[in-house]
Amino acid sequence: MREEEQLVLDSLKQCKSIRQLRQLHAHATTTGILFHYASLLLPNILYTITRLAPATTTAPAASCSAWSFLSSYAFSVFTHIKNPTSFCYNTMMRAHTLLSSPLSALHLFLRMRRLCVPPDFHTFPFVLKASCHVGSVSLAANLHSEALKFGFISELFVLNSVVHVYSVSDRLHDACRLFEESGVKDVVSYNVLIDGLVKAGDVDRARQLFDVMPVRDAVSWGTILAGYVREDQCKEAIELFNSLFLSPSGDCFDNVTLVCALSACGQLGDLEQGVAIHEYIIRNRIKIDAFLSTSLVDFYSKCGCIKNAVDVFDSSSEKSVFTWNAMLIGLAMHGHGKACLDYFFRMVGHGIQPDGISFLGVLVGCSHAGLVSEAQTLFKDMEAVYKVPREQKHYGCMADLLGRAGLIKEAVEMIEGMPIEGDIYAWGGLLAGCRVHGLVDIAEKAAKNVLKVKPEDGGMYSIMASVYANAELWDDVTKIRSLMKTKRVKKNAGCSFIKLKGVTHEFIAWDDLHPRTDEIYMVLNAFGNHQSEVL
């Protein structure tokens, strides 16, 4: 190998951007090096494109034109390779898959087979991934047969790809059977199937598989914890996390695991556990990226510690739109409407484009704080200024806000002028306002519309009973309660948690099953008597 050829190959390995690659490509072309050593250099140039493509296409400034250029560039290099080998075809298929052109990757595979270029064990994972992107289960099954025919199914890389495709294509039975029949498995094999089971909602089977894993990594823990949180099995998530937290293998933590654990703590209101996780993060100097800061803000907000949430947010160097949304919703939940508005405009000032969740948070904040004119301005500017389409929940927030403020007429006009028919959010928000202001006629109209959308909604019957009672229409109160019994409508009972001395106590509305119920009611009654004396 000549010295200039080796120099080009070494330089290709050091390329850090497509711009540098093009400069090197141009240099090799103009100096004639590429002409003399095309069979060696062109495949390496093609490989370098695929190596740099992920960083290029995921950059913040990446556009469709950048993707199109890279695809054209890769194809141009490929077409200049005489008699491309399996390596060249594999590299090109990988490029198409990375650049979201799965059909092109599949066509390339067909061309490869038509020209009798033998596939290898790298070929099938790329083409299986392409078949997954186009959503063709039958094609994936055919590729599985091809892999069997060529004897590559025993290769872990191929096996794991087939299991993954079946898992995400509603063919879990086939994925499980292939996994069980395979004599060789690694941690990736287990992780792929656990992920498929979790996404299918079968957390119990995923946990059974997790428990028999010979070796687990951070992906294993993060996947099963995410499954528990997704299925609202937060107690199980925290118990499993603690088994890792207190074990010598605690170094299996990654940010996904920590995010899942914080999410479970937030949903359960387990402040003690969440604070311990935060302290672990600080103690071990784990980088708080945008995902982790979002989880911490959300956790502290849900646990009632809004000051801690603000401190985490303000000290975070990485903030995504999700982080800003978590802060806005947290402030709204705690009734800090003006602060919510302030953070919204800070978000816009930092160049972060708000989305539907951002507006939902700030509108709820305005509703709780009675900031009617500010909310009306934001609602009007949503589509006109920020290009964010209004959804049912946004109309519901505005109906609730206008109803609370006594602007019932404006709320009715807004709902009736909606481009889509009002749903339970809009009419439910209006109904709540009618209860506050005792407007029976409009409340009845809102209730009828709620019933059209959700006839089994027990909350509507309870609100109407309250409206009638406030208006001293006792016959109507009797009718509505009788109707609830006849239709067997039940209102979902409220539920709350509190953790004291390591024990989580759960309370359900009108529940007397807690072992210390008598003491609790005695204290509550004492508070009530004290308030009466003060008043």
PDB file of all heavy atoms in Angstrom, residues 331-366:
ATOM      1  N   LEU A 331     -46.001  24.851  38.429  1.00  0.00           N
ATOM      2  CA  LEU A 331     -46.444  26.153  38.955  1.00  0.00           C
ATOM      3  C   LEU A 331     -47.961  26.283  38.882  1.00  0.00           C
ATOM      4  O   LEU A 331     -48.593  26.812  39.799  1.00  0.00           O
ATOM      5  CB  LEU A 331     -45.775  27.283  38.171  1.00  0.00           C
ATOM      6  CG  LEU A 331     -44.262  27.450  38.391  1.00  0.00           C
ATOM      7  CD1 LEU A 331     -43.663  28.352  37.324  1.00  0.00           C
ATOM      8  CD2 LEU A 331     -43.982  28.003  39.788  1.00  0.00           C
ATOM      9  N   ALA A 332     -48.556  25.789  37.797  1.00  0.00           N
ATOM     10  CA  ALA A 332     -50.015  25.844  37.647  1.00  0.00           C
ATOM     11  C   ALA A 332     -50.712  25.003  38.711  1.00  0.00           C
ATOM     12  O   ALA A 332     -51.699  25.432  39.314  1.00  0.00           O
ATOM     13  CB  ALA A 332     -50.410  25.360  36.252  1.00  0.00           C
ATOM     14  N   MET A 333     -50.179  23.804  38.963  1.00  0.00           N
ATOM     15  CA  MET A 333     -50.757  22.917  39.974  1.00  0.00           C
ATOM     16  C   MET A 333     -50.780  23.568  41.348  1.00  0.00           C
ATOM     17  O   MET A 333     -51.683  23.336  42.155  1.00  0.00           O
ATOM     18  CB  MET A 333     -49.937  21.616  40.064  1.00  0.00           C
ATOM     19  CG  MET A 333     -50.180  20.632  38.942  1.00  0.00           C
ATOM     20  SD  MET A 333     -48.905  19.332  38.904  1.00  0.00           S
ATOM     21  CE  MET A 333     -48.918  18.771  40.607  1.00  0.00           C
ATOM     22  N   HIS A 334     -49.775  24.393  41.619  1.00  0.00           N
ATOM     23  CA  HIS A 334     -49.653  25.019  42.936  1.00  0.00           C
ATOM     24  C   HIS A 334     -50.290  26.403  42.990  1.00  0.00           C
ATOM     25  O   HIS A 334     -50.142  27.117  43.993  1.00  0.00           O
ATOM     26  CB  HIS A 334     -48.172  25.095  43.332  1.00  0.00           C
ATOM     27  CG  HIS A 334     -47.586  23.758  43.679  1.00  0.00           C
ATOM     28  ND1 HIS A 334     -47.521  23.288  44.964  1.00  0.00           N
ATOM     29  CD2 HIS A 334     -47.080  22.772  42.892  1.00  0.00           C
ATOM     30  CE1 HIS A 334     -46.981  22.075  44.968  1.00  0.00           C
ATOM     31  NE2 HIS A 334     -46.704  21.748  43.720  1.00  0.00           N
ATOM     32  N   GLY A 335     -50.985  26.779  41.932  1.00  0.00           N
ATOM     33  CA  GLY A 335     -51.723  28.040  41.941  1.00  0.00           C
ATOM     34  C   GLY A 335     -50.885  29.282  41.721  1.00  0.00           C
ATOM     35  O   GLY A 335     -51.351  30.394  41.978  1.00  0.00           O
ATOM     36  N   HIS A 336     -49.648  29.131  41.249  1.00  0.00           N
ATOM     37  CA  HIS A 336     -48.774  30.285  41.019  1.00  0.00           C
ATOM     38  C   HIS A 336     -48.962  30.788  39.590  1.00  0.00           C
ATOM     39  O   HIS A 336     -48.079  30.621  38.722  1.00  0.00           O
ATOM     40  CB  HIS A 336     -47.322  29.914  41.283  1.00  0.00           C
ATOM     41  CG  HIS A 336     -47.055  29.472  42.689  1.00  0.00           C
ATOM     42  ND1 HIS A 336     -47.361  30.245  43.783  1.00  0.00           N
ATOM     43  CD2 HIS A 336     -46.533  28.314  43.183  1.00  0.00           C
ATOM     44  CE1 HIS A 336     -47.022  29.600  44.891  1.00  0.00           C
ATOM     45  NE2 HIS A 336     -46.530  28.414  44.557  1.00  0.00           N
ATOM     46  N   GLY A 337     -50.109  31.386  39.325  1.00  0.00           N
ATOM     47  CA  GLY A 337     -50.458  31.804  37.974  1.00  0.00           C
ATOM     48  C   GLY A 337     -49.516  32.840  37.390  1.00  0.00           C
ATOM     49  O   GLY A 337     -49.102  32.733  36.231  1.00  0.00           O
ATOM     50  N   LYS A 338     -49.169  33.856  38.188  1.00  0.00           N
ATOM     51  CA  LYS A 338     -48.296  34.923  37.677  1.00  0.00           C
ATOM     52  C   LYS A 338     -46.897  34.390  37.388  1.00  0.00           C
ATOM     53  O   LYS A 338     -46.278  34.748  36.380  1.00  0.00           O
ATOM     54  CB  LYS A 338     -48.248  36.071  38.667  1.00  0.00           C
ATOM     55  CG  LYS A 338     -49.562  36.847  38.754  1.00  0.00           C
ATOM     56  CD  LYS A 338     -49.448  38.062  39.658  1.00  0.00           C
ATOM     57  CE  LYS A 338     -50.776  38.843  39.680  1.00  0.00           C
ATOM     58  NZ  LYS A 338     -50.715  40.021  40.579  1.00  0.00           N
ATOM     59  N   ALA A 339     -46.393  33.522  38.275  1.00  0.00           N
ATOM     60  CA  ALA A 339     -45.077  32.912  38.044  1.00  0.00           C
ATOM     61  C   ALA A 339     -45.121  32.034  36.802  1.00  0.00           C
ATOM     62  O   ALA A 339     -44.153  31.986  36.023  1.00  0.00           O
ATOM     63  CB  ALA A 339     -44.655  32.097  39.260  1.00  0.00           C
ATOM     64  N   CYS A 340     -46.237  31.357  36.602  1.00  0.00           N
ATOM     65  CA  CYS A 340     -46.414  30.501  35.426  1.00  0.00           C
ATOM     66  C   CYS A 340     -46.329  31.342  34.149  1.00  0.00           C
ATOM     67  O   CYS A 340     -45.662  30.958  33.177  1.00  0.00           O
ATOM     68  CB  CYS A 340     -47.757  29.784  35.523  1.00  0.00           C
ATOM     69  SG  CYS A 340     -47.955  28.407  34.391  1.00  0.00           S
ATOM     70  N   LEU A 341     -46.999  32.487  34.150  1.00  0.00           N
ATOM     71  CA  LEU A 341     -46.927  33.397  32.998  1.00  0.00           C
ATOM     72  C   LEU A 341     -45.504  33.890  32.778  1.00  0.00           C
ATOM     73  O   LEU A 341     -45.017  33.947  31.642  1.00  0.00           O
ATOM     74  CB  LEU A 341     -47.846  34.600  33.236  1.00  0.00           C
ATOM     75  CG  LEU A 341     -49.305  34.477  32.803  1.00  0.00           C
ATOM     76  CD1 LEU A 341     -50.077  35.698  33.270  1.00  0.00           C
ATOM     77  CD2 LEU A 341     -49.410  34.327  31.293  1.00  0.00           C
ATOM     78  N   ASP A 342     -44.839  34.241  33.882  1.00  0.00           N
ATOM     79  CA  ASP A 342     -43.463  34.740  33.796  1.00  0.00           C
ATOM     80  C   ASP A 342     -42.550  33.695  33.166  1.00  0.00           C
ATOM     81  O   ASP A 342     -41.757  34.016  32.262  1.00  0.00           O
ATOM     82  CB  ASP A 342     -42.960  35.107  35.192  1.00  0.00           C
ATOM     83  CG  ASP A 342     -41.502  35.555  35.175  1.00  0.00           C
ATOM     84  OD1 ASP A 342     -41.191  36.490  34.419  1.00  0.00           O
ATOM     85  OD2 ASP A 342     -40.683  34.954  35.902  1.00  0.00           O
ATOM     86  N   TYR A 343     -42.662  32.440  33.586  1.00  0.00           N
ATOM     87  CA  TYR A 343     -41.818  31.381  33.037  1.00  0.00           C
ATOM     88  C   TYR A 343     -42.174  31.085  31.582  1.00  0.00           C
ATOM     89  O   TYR A 343     -41.301  30.728  30.788  1.00  0.00           O
ATOM     90  CB  TYR A 343     -41.916  30.111  33.885  1.00  0.00           C
ATOM     91  CG  TYR A 343     -40.929  30.097  35.030  1.00  0.00           C
ATOM     92  CD1 TYR A 343     -41.219  30.738  36.229  1.00  0.00           C
ATOM     93  CD2 TYR A 343     -39.697  29.464  34.907  1.00  0.00           C
ATOM     94  CE1 TYR A 343     -40.313  30.741  37.277  1.00  0.00           C
ATOM     95  CE2 TYR A 343     -38.778  29.466  35.941  1.00  0.00           C
ATOM     96  CZ  TYR A 343     -39.093  30.102  37.129  1.00  0.00           C
ATOM     97  OH  TYR A 343     -38.183  30.105  38.161  1.00  0.00           O
ATOM     98  N   PHE A 344     -43.452  31.229  31.240  1.00  0.00           N
ATOM     99  CA  PHE A 344     -43.844  31.014  29.845  1.00  0.00           C
ATOM    100  C   PHE A 344     -43.143  32.021  28.930  1.00  0.00           C
ATOM    101  O   PHE A 344     -42.591  31.647  27.882  1.00  0.00           O
ATOM    102  CB  PHE A 344     -45.356  31.144  29.684  1.00  0.00           C
ATOM    103  CG  PHE A 344     -45.828  31.034  28.267  1.00  0.00           C
ATOM    104  CD1 PHE A 344     -46.003  29.793  27.669  1.00  0.00           C
ATOM    105  CD2 PHE A 344     -46.083  32.175  27.507  1.00  0.00           C
ATOM    106  CE1 PHE A 344     -46.424  29.687  26.344  1.00  0.00           C
ATOM    107  CE2 PHE A 344     -46.502  32.080  26.193  1.00  0.00           C
ATOM    108  CZ  PHE A 344     -46.679  30.837  25.617  1.00  0.00           C
ATOM    109  N   PHE A 345     -43.145  33.290  29.328  1.00  0.00           N
ATOM    110  CA  PHE A 345     -42.517  34.311  28.479  1.00  0.00           C
ATOM    111  C   PHE A 345     -40.989  34.202  28.518  1.00  0.00           C
ATOM    112  O   PHE A 345     -40.312  34.555  27.545  1.00  0.00           O
ATOM    113  CB  PHE A 345     -42.992  35.701  28.890  1.00  0.00           C
ATOM    114  CG  PHE A 345     -44.426  35.971  28.509  1.00  0.00           C
ATOM    115  CD1 PHE A 345     -45.393  36.174  29.475  1.00  0.00           C
ATOM    116  CD2 PHE A 345     -44.814  35.964  27.182  1.00  0.00           C
ATOM    117  CE1 PHE A 345     -46.720  36.401  29.125  1.00  0.00           C
ATOM    118  CE2 PHE A 345     -46.139  36.187  26.812  1.00  0.00           C
ATOM    119  CZ  PHE A 345     -47.087  36.399  27.790  1.00  0.00           C
ATOM    120  N   ARG A 346     -40.444  33.704  29.630  1.00  0.00           N
ATOM    121  CA  ARG A 346     -39.005  33.418  29.673  1.00  0.00           C
ATOM    122  C   ARG A 346     -38.663  32.304  28.688  1.00  0.00           C
ATOM    123  O   ARG A 346     -37.638  32.349  28.004  1.00  0.00           O
ATOM    124  CB  ARG A 346     -38.589  32.993  31.090  1.00  0.00           C
ATOM    125  CG  ARG A 346     -38.398  34.157  32.058  1.00  0.00           C
ATOM    126  CD  ARG A 346     -38.104  33.673  33.465  1.00  0.00           C
ATOM    127  NE  ARG A 346     -36.918  32.819  33.531  1.00  0.00           N
ATOM    128  CZ  ARG A 346     -36.500  32.221  34.646  1.00  0.00           C
ATOM    129  NH1 ARG A 346     -37.182  32.385  35.778  1.00  0.00           N
ATOM    130  NH2 ARG A 346     -35.430  31.463  34.636  1.00  0.00           N
ATOM    131  N   MET A 347     -39.534  31.312  28.622  1.00  0.00           N
ATOM    132  CA  MET A 347     -39.359  30.196  27.688  1.00  0.00           C
ATOM    133  C   MET A 347     -39.304  30.717  26.252  1.00  0.00           C
ATOM    134  O   MET A 347     -38.409  30.356  25.473  1.00  0.00           O
ATOM    135  CB  MET A 347     -40.517  29.215  27.867  1.00  0.00           C
ATOM    136  CG  MET A 347     -40.591  28.091  26.874  1.00  0.00           C
ATOM    137  SD  MET A 347     -42.110  27.126  27.130  1.00  0.00           S
ATOM    138  CE  MET A 347     -41.900  25.841  25.909  1.00  0.00           C
ATOM    139  N   VAL A 348     -40.255  31.556  25.911  1.00  0.00           N
ATOM    140  CA  VAL A 348     -40.300  32.131  24.560  1.00  0.00           C
ATOM    141  C   VAL A 348     -39.063  32.995  24.317  1.00  0.00           C
ATOM    142  O   VAL A 348     -38.458  32.954  23.234  1.00  0.00           O
ATOM    143  CB  VAL A 348     -41.587  32.963  24.368  1.00  0.00           C
ATOM    144  CG1 VAL A 348     -41.576  33.672  23.021  1.00  0.00           C
ATOM    145  CG2 VAL A 348     -42.815  32.068  24.485  1.00  0.00           C
ATOM    146  N   GLY A 349     -38.663  33.749  25.341  1.00  0.00           N
ATOM    147  CA  GLY A 349     -37.489  34.605  25.220  1.00  0.00           C
ATOM    148  C   GLY A 349     -36.202  33.831  24.993  1.00  0.00           C
ATOM    149  O   GLY A 349     -35.263  34.336  24.371  1.00  0.00           O
ATOM    150  N   HIS A 350     -36.141  32.593  25.491  1.00  0.00           N
ATOM    151  CA  HIS A 350     -34.964  31.746  25.304  1.00  0.00           C
ATOM    152  C   HIS A 350     -34.995  31.012  23.958  1.00  0.00           C
ATOM    153  O   HIS A 350     -34.125  30.192  23.674  1.00  0.00           O
ATOM    154  CB  HIS A 350     -34.860  30.716  26.430  1.00  0.00           C
ATOM    155  CG  HIS A 350     -34.259  31.261  27.694  1.00  0.00           C
ATOM    156  ND1 HIS A 350     -34.990  32.008  28.595  1.00  0.00           N
ATOM    157  CD2 HIS A 350     -33.001  31.176  28.198  1.00  0.00           C
ATOM    158  CE1 HIS A 350     -34.214  32.349  29.611  1.00  0.00           C
ATOM    159  NE2 HIS A 350     -33.001  31.854  29.398  1.00  0.00           N
ATOM    160  N   GLY A 351     -35.998  31.312  23.147  1.00  0.00           N
ATOM    161  CA  GLY A 351     -36.067  30.702  21.826  1.00  0.00           C
ATOM    162  C   GLY A 351     -36.649  29.312  21.792  1.00  0.00           C
ATOM    163  O   GLY A 351     -36.509  28.600  20.793  1.00  0.00           O
ATOM    164  N   ILE A 352     -37.316  28.889  22.877  1.00  0.00           N
ATOM    165  CA  ILE A 352     -37.955  27.573  22.923  1.00  0.00           C
ATOM    166  C   ILE A 352     -39.377  27.706  22.393  1.00  0.00           C
ATOM    167  O   ILE A 352     -40.168  28.494  22.914  1.00  0.00           O
ATOM    168  CB  ILE A 352     -37.992  27.008  24.356  1.00  0.00           C
ATOM    169  CG1 ILE A 352     -36.586  26.973  24.956  1.00  0.00           C
ATOM    170  CG2 ILE A 352     -38.631  25.622  24.367  1.00  0.00           C
ATOM    171  CD1 ILE A 352     -35.644  26.028  24.273  1.00  0.00           C
ATOM    172  N   GLN A 353     -39.701  26.941  21.349  1.00  0.00           N
ATOM    173  CA  GLN A 353     -41.034  26.994  20.763  1.00  0.00           C
ATOM    174  C   GLN A 353     -42.031  26.259  21.662  1.00  0.00           C
ATOM    175  O   GLN A 353     -41.903  25.062  21.890  1.00  0.00           O
ATOM    176  CB  GLN A 353     -41.015  26.350  19.377  1.00  0.00           C
ATOM    177  CG  GLN A 353     -42.383  26.131  18.747  1.00  0.00           C
ATOM    178  CD  GLN A 353     -43.125  27.428  18.447  1.00  0.00           C
ATOM    179  OE1 GLN A 353     -42.503  28.453  18.189  1.00  0.00           O
ATOM    180  NE2 GLN A 353     -44.439  27.379  18.479  1.00  0.00           N
ATOM    181  N   PRO A 354     -43.026  26.962  22.215  1.00  0.00           N
ATOM    182  CA  PRO A 354     -44.013  26.273  23.054  1.00  0.00           C
ATOM    183  C   PRO A 354     -44.879  25.335  22.237  1.00  0.00           C
ATOM    184  O   PRO A 354     -45.064  25.529  21.035  1.00  0.00           O
ATOM    185  CB  PRO A 354     -44.837  27.424  23.646  1.00  0.00           C
ATOM    186  CG  PRO A 354     -44.667  28.560  22.700  1.00  0.00           C
ATOM    187  CD  PRO A 354     -43.305  28.392  22.100  1.00  0.00           C
ATOM    188  N   ASP A 355     -45.396  24.286  22.889  1.00  0.00           N
ATOM    189  CA  ASP A 355     -46.296  23.355  22.225  1.00  0.00           C
ATOM    190  C   ASP A 355     -47.642  23.339  22.953  1.00  0.00           C
ATOM    191  O   ASP A 355     -47.902  24.190  23.820  1.00  0.00           O
ATOM    192  CB  ASP A 355     -45.683  21.957  22.153  1.00  0.00           C
ATOM    193  CG  ASP A 355     -45.370  21.367  23.532  1.00  0.00           C
ATOM    194  OD1 ASP A 355     -45.836  21.924  24.552  1.00  0.00           O
ATOM    195  OD2 ASP A 355     -44.665  20.339  23.593  1.00  0.00           O
ATOM    196  N   GLY A 356     -48.480  22.384  22.610  1.00  0.00           N
ATOM    197  CA  GLY A 356     -49.810  22.321  23.220  1.00  0.00           C
ATOM    198  C   GLY A 356     -49.768  22.141  24.721  1.00  0.00           C
ATOM    199  O   GLY A 356     -50.594  22.712  25.455  1.00  0.00           O
ATOM    200  N   ILE A 357     -48.800  21.366  25.224  1.00  0.00           N
ATOM    201  CA  ILE A 357     -48.671  21.154  26.668  1.00  0.00           C
ATOM    202  C   ILE A 357     -48.266  22.461  27.361  1.00  0.00           C
ATOM    203  O   ILE A 357     -48.728  22.753  28.473  1.00  0.00           O
ATOM    204  CB  ILE A 357     -47.637  20.050  26.967  1.00  0.00           C
ATOM    205  CG1 ILE A 357     -48.017  18.741  26.268  1.00  0.00           C
ATOM    206  CG2 ILE A 357     -47.501  19.819  28.463  1.00  0.00           C
ATOM    207  CD1 ILE A 357     -49.323  18.137  26.753  1.00  0.00           C
ATOM    208  N   SER A 358     -47.412  23.235  26.731  1.00  0.00           N
ATOM    209  CA  SER A 358     -46.992  24.518  27.304  1.00  0.00           C
ATOM    210  C   SER A 358     -48.207  25.413  27.537  1.00  0.00           C
ATOM    211  O   SER A 358     -48.369  26.002  28.620  1.00  0.00           O
ATOM    212  CB  SER A 358     -46.012  25.234  26.373  1.00  0.00           C
ATOM    213  OG  SER A 358     -44.997  24.382  25.910  1.00  0.00           O
ATOM    214  N   PHE A 359     -49.062  25.511  26.522  1.00  0.00           N
ATOM    215  CA  PHE A 359     -50.254  26.359  26.653  1.00  0.00           C
ATOM    216  C   PHE A 359     -51.247  25.773  27.648  1.00  0.00           C
ATOM    217  O   PHE A 359     -51.920  26.521  28.366  1.00  0.00           O
ATOM    218  CB  PHE A 359     -50.909  26.557  25.287  1.00  0.00           C
ATOM    219  CG  PHE A 359     -50.260  27.643  24.480  1.00  0.00           C
ATOM    220  CD1 PHE A 359     -49.281  27.340  23.544  1.00  0.00           C
ATOM    221  CD2 PHE A 359     -50.597  28.973  24.682  1.00  0.00           C
ATOM    222  CE1 PHE A 359     -48.670  28.335  22.815  1.00  0.00           C
ATOM    223  CE2 PHE A 359     -49.993  29.983  23.948  1.00  0.00           C
ATOM    224  CZ  PHE A 359     -49.022  29.672  23.015  1.00  0.00           C
ATOM    225  N   LEU A 360     -51.327  24.461  27.709  1.00  0.00           N
ATOM    226  CA  LEU A 360     -52.213  23.837  28.690  1.00  0.00           C
ATOM    227  C   LEU A 360     -51.782  24.229  30.103  1.00  0.00           C
ATOM    228  O   LEU A 360     -52.602  24.605  30.946  1.00  0.00           O
ATOM    229  CB  LEU A 360     -52.168  22.313  28.530  1.00  0.00           C
ATOM    230  CG  LEU A 360     -53.237  21.510  29.273  1.00  0.00           C
ATOM    231  CD1 LEU A 360     -54.630  21.875  28.795  1.00  0.00           C
ATOM    232  CD2 LEU A 360     -52.981  20.018  29.105  1.00  0.00           C
ATOM    233  N   GLY A 361     -50.469  24.163  30.363  1.00  0.00           N
ATOM    234  CA  GLY A 361     -49.962  24.526  31.677  1.00  0.00           C
ATOM    235  C   GLY A 361     -50.237  25.977  32.038  1.00  0.00           C
ATOM    236  O   GLY A 361     -50.729  26.277  33.134  1.00  0.00           O
ATOM    237  N   VAL A 362     -49.944  26.886  31.116  1.00  0.00           N
ATOM    238  CA  VAL A 362     -50.099  28.306  31.442  1.00  0.00           C
ATOM    239  C   VAL A 362     -51.578  28.692  31.541  1.00  0.00           C
ATOM    240  O   VAL A 362     -51.961  29.540  32.361  1.00  0.00           O
ATOM    241  CB  VAL A 362     -49.332  29.180  30.413  1.00  0.00           C
ATOM    242  CG1 VAL A 362     -50.042  29.242  29.083  1.00  0.00           C
ATOM    243  CG2 VAL A 362     -49.097  30.572  30.964  1.00  0.00           C
ATOM    244  N   LEU A 363     -52.456  28.064  30.764  1.00  0.00           N
ATOM    245  CA  LEU A 363     -53.892  28.350  30.855  1.00  0.00           C
ATOM    246  C   LEU A 363     -54.468  27.842  32.171  1.00  0.00           C
ATOM    247  O   LEU A 363     -55.316  28.508  32.789  1.00  0.00           O
ATOM    248  CB  LEU A 363     -54.635  27.732  29.671  1.00  0.00           C
ATOM    249  CG  LEU A 363     -54.411  28.388  28.311  1.00  0.00           C
ATOM    250  CD1 LEU A 363     -55.108  27.600  27.203  1.00  0.00           C
ATOM    251  CD2 LEU A 363     -54.909  29.836  28.304  1.00  0.00           C
ATOM    252  N   VAL A 364     -54.014  26.664  32.608  1.00  0.00           N
ATOM    253  CA  VAL A 364     -54.454  26.156  33.923  1.00  0.00           C
ATOM    254  C   VAL A 364     -53.975  27.089  35.022  1.00  0.00           C
ATOM    255  O   VAL A 364     -54.702  27.393  35.971  1.00  0.00           O
ATOM    256  CB  VAL A 364     -53.924  24.721  34.149  1.00  0.00           C
ATOM    257  CG1 VAL A 364     -54.140  24.289  35.598  1.00  0.00           C
ATOM    258  CG2 VAL A 364     -54.609  23.734  33.217  1.00  0.00           C
ATOM    259  N   GLY A 365     -52.726  27.570  34.908  1.00  0.00           N
ATOM    260  CA  GLY A 365     -52.199  28.509  35.897  1.00  0.00           C
ATOM    261  C   GLY A 365     -53.022  29.782  35.956  1.00  0.00           C
ATOM    262  O   GLY A 365     -53.351  30.276  37.039  1.00  0.00           O
ATOM    263  N   CYS A 366     -53.377  30.312  34.790  1.00  0.00           N
ATOM    264  CA  CYS A 366     -54.212  31.518  34.741  1.00  0.00           C
ATOM    265  C   CYS A 366     -55.588  31.249  35.343  1.00  0.00           C
ATOM    266  O   CYS A 366     -56.161  32.097  36.044  1.00  0.00           O
ATOM    267  CB  CYS A 366     -54.355  31.997  33.300  1.00  0.00           C
ATOM    268  SG  CYS A 366     -52.856  32.694  32.591  1.00  0.00           S
TER     269      CYS A 366
END
